[in-house]
């Protein structure tokens, strides 16, 4: 699962990306790795995993991860190939969700790109227009192809063409947020249709005193509400500063500032929500581990995340919620008490499930 960090230049994307990928996660020994300079794996801070581990006492505890990609190169005209143009578009096509970082700080030392002075609304529109223009191009190509396929006489192409034409009209009007209600072909990944979270990047002072940015904030909040999206206010430079400190110093600093939860934790949790994921845990062998899967994933598919053999040979799953496991104090005690559930191949993994898969090899 991958989240793309998108926005105009000089809005704080890289600062945020670096903070995310440097952040300390206590007690989880998943080695953080930067796969490419702009791709990072982030461990999910997960209290429930730590509770499960306390009971199981495994040799190793491994947190679930999400990939973040810092996607540079969005400028006005990207859809026509300006800036990094096509490279930008192909990168963003691959991500499952988008964090759209918007500049909400003024700083004469950091050049402002596009739309004059601070103007988050116009900046958001610039980015979204580029995505829509790219999508219109994608739709045009697909409409042409489907039109050719109509000659086969297959009814499904007639239906598809109707949907495509309607989607084109809607995008052409700029109403991309209405696309969600369309049953678009699965192999037509549109950029404007991906889940989006707006991240307003403000100065530390404004983060601590929202009065300073009241008008701007209201504008962005209204825009987000109109589009049925969420907005998160963070200070990328503060997060970066915090991520550079040892954990105890970072916590002390947050306490001093009166911040309860770091912006990074908020971003990571918002990412999980955006992707509509649930966490399940495995406790067999030396490793206790958290895994993320899309909500509604059936047990064999979840097993396949661990190993493809386990999906192929899936027989059944023994399941207990993490909360119940904590109550009973051990997996075997829970089993004795008959609280383990036996689930079959149609079972949909629930958030917080601790799962023991049985399979044939
Ligand atoms: P990107 O082009 O969107 O990746 O932007 P960068 O993360 O490279 O940031 C551009 C510049 O803005 C850097 O010099 C950052 O230190 C600075 N910057 C990022 N966030 C903030 C902020 O909240 N306040 C201020 N004053 N500067 C920031």
């Amino acid at each position: 699962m991958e989240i793309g960090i998108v926005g105009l230049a000089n809005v704080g994307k890289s600062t945020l990306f670096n903070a995310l990928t440097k952040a300390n996660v206590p007690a989880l020994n998943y080695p953080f790795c930067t796969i490419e300079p702009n791709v990072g794996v982030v461990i999910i801070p997960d209290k429930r995993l730590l509770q499960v581990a306390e009971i199981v006492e495994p040799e190793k505890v491994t947190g679930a991860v999400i990939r973040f990609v810092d996607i540079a190169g969005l400028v006005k005209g990207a859809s026509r190939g300006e800036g990094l143009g096509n490279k930008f578009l192909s990168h963003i096509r691959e991500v499952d969700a988008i964090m759209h970082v918007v500049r909400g700080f003024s700083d004469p030392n950091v050049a402002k790109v596009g739309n004059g002075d601070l103007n988050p609304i116009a900046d958001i529109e610039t980015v979204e227009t580029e995505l829509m223009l790219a999508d219109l191009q994608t739709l045009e190509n697909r409409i042409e192809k489907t039109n050719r396929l109509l000659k086969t006489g297959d009814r499904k192409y007639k239906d598809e063409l109707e949907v495509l034409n309607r989607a084109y009209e809607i995008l052409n009007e700029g109403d991309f947020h209405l696309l969600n209600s369309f049953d678009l072909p699965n192999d037509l990944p549109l950029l404007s249709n991906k889940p989006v979270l707006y991240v307003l990047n403000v100065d530390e002072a404004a983060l601590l005193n929202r009065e300073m940015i009241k008008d701007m904030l209201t504008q962005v909040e209204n825009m987000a509400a109109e589009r049925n999206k969420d907005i998160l206010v963070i200070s990328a430079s503060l997060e970066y500063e915090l991520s550079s400190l040892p954990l105890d110093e970072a916590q002390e600093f947050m306490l001093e500032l009166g911040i309860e939860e770091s912006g990074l934790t908020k971003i990571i949790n918002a990412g999980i929500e955006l992707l509509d994921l649930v966490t399940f845990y495995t406790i067999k062998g030396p490793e206790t581990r958290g895994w993320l899967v899309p909500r509604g994933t059936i047990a064999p598919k979840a097993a396949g995340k661990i190993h493809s053999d386990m999906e192929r040979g899936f027989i059944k799953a023994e399941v207990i919620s993490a909360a119940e496991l904590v109550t009973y104090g051990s997996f075997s005690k829970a089993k004795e008490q008959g609280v383990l559930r036996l689930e079959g191949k149609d079972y949909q993994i629930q958030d917080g499930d601790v799962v023991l898969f049985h399979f044939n090899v």
Side-chain angles (χ1 to χ4, degrees):
M1 283 288 163
E2 203 166 82
I3 293 179
I5 303 176
V6 172
L8 294 176
N10 278 358
V11 298
K13 296 185 296 296
S14 301
T15 310
L16 183 63
F17 174 81
N18 291 333
L20 270 168
T21 51
K22 264 181 71 173
N24 290 299
V25 180
L28 299 182
N29 57 357
Y30 199 96
F32 163 71
C33 46
T34 314
I35 297 163
E36 284 170 48
N38 65 327
V39 182
V41 171
V42 179
I43 310 156
I44 312 300
D46 184 349
K47 287 199 189 104
R48 214 167 37 187
L49 172 63
L50 299 181
Q51 286 173 341
V52 171
E54 222 167 87
I55 287 171
V56 181
E57 296 182 341
E59 283 166 34
K60 193 175 170 199
V61 183
T62 306
V65 297
I66 291 190
R67 283 156 67 102
F68 279 88
V69 192
D70 183 5
I71 306 181
L74 181 67
V75 294
K76 203 169 181 159
S79 57
R80 296 193 312 269
E82 309 263 326
L84 293 175
N86 293 330
K87 199 164 170 202
F88 165 79
L89 294 172
S90 67
H91 280 154
I92 190 174
R93 229 163 238 133
E94 286 162 17
V95 302
D96 303 293
I98 294 172
M99 291 212 173
H100 180 164
V101 183
V102 188
R103 181 155 164 168
F105 67 88
S106 342
D107 186 339
N109 298 317
V110 181
K112 170 76 174 62
V113 176
N115 306 309
D117 252 359
L118 255 199
N119 193 343
I121 299 294
D123 287 355
I124 290 175
E125 279 169 353
T126 300
V127 170
E128 289 176 346
T129 302
E130 286 310 317
L131 301 186
M132 279 192 281
L133 288 171
D135 284 345
L136 282 170
Q137 188 70 52
T138 307
L139 275 168
E140 256 172 46
N141 295 344
R142 182 64 178 245
I143 288 170
E144 219 178 272
K145 187 175 150 203
T146 308
N147 251 324
R148 263 183 278 127
L149 289 166
L150 262 187
K151 297 194 186 89
T152 62
D154 192 333
R155 158 102 216 174
K156 83 173 183 215
Y157 294 116
K158 192 163 172 283
D159 295 342
E160 183 177 298
L161 196 61
E162 239 166 66
V163 173
L164 292 172
N165 278 325
R166 185 83 188 98
Y168 189 92
E169 271 168 43
I170 285 212
L171 265 190
N172 217 9
E173 296 288 316
D175 292 331
F176 66 92
H177 48 288
L178 299 180
L179 275 182
N180 298 348
S181 54
F182 276 76
D183 199 7
L184 289 163
N186 285 333
D187 58 343
L188 184 81
L190 294 184
L191 308 174
S192 326
N193 209 16
K194 291 187 194 273
V196 174
L197 173 76
Y198 297 122
V199 178
L200 186 65
N201 180 22
V202 303
D203 272 323
E204 182 184 321
L207 182 79
L208 300 173
N209 178 6
R210 301 283 168 98
E211 273 300 307
M212 289 171 68
I213 49 164
K214 201 168 127 221
D215 291 346
M216 176 172 75
L217 193 55
T218 311
Q219 281 175 15
V220 181
E221 277 170 349
N222 289 344
M223 182 176 208
E226 255 171 49
R227 287 155 161 60
N228 211 2
K229 312 239 181 271
D230 285 329
I231 156 183
L232 207 62
V233 183
I234 55 133
S235 170
S237 44
L238 172 66
E239 293 306 329
Y240 184 75
E241 215 179 306
L242 285 170
S243 71
S244 319
L245 294 172
L247 191 67
D248 52 341
E249 283 178 40
Q251 273 165 346
E252 204 171 304
F253 190 29
M254 277 171 56
L255 208 66
E256 260 170 48
L257 296 175
I259 299 172
E260 273 171 34
E261 195 180 33
S262 85
L264 295 186
T265 309
K266 284 188 191 153
I267 288 226
I268 291 170
N269 288 335
I272 293 176
E273 209 169 297
L274 200 55
L275 294 168
D276 203 17
L277 303 177
V278 297
T279 308
F280 73 94
Y281 305 97
T282 52
I283 56 174
K284 197 167 156 46
E287 188 183 43
T288 288
R289 182 162 179 175
W291 306 83
L292 285 166
V293 286
R295 189 182 304 283
T297 296
I298 50 171
K301 274 262 171 273
K305 225 183 127 96
I306 303 161
H307 202 288
S308 53
D309 285 349
M310 291 172 63
E311 179 173 353
R312 233 174 294 129
F314 179 89
I315 304 169
K316 62 181 177 186
E318 289 184 274
V319 185
I320 184 174
S321 72
E324 277 178 313
L325 181 63
V326 170
T327 308
Y328 286 89
S330 86
F331 203 75
S332 51
K333 261 192 217 134
K335 195 164 184 165
E336 269 168 34
Q337 301 289 321
V339 278
L340 284 186
R341 283 175 281 134
L342 269 187
E343 302 286 2
K345 62 178 175 26
D346 295 328
Y347 176 68
Q348 296 184 354
I349 299 289
Q350 303 295 307
D351 190 45
D353 278 352
V354 179
V355 187
L356 186 68
F357 292 107
H358 293 261
F359 57 99
N360 278 321
V361 275

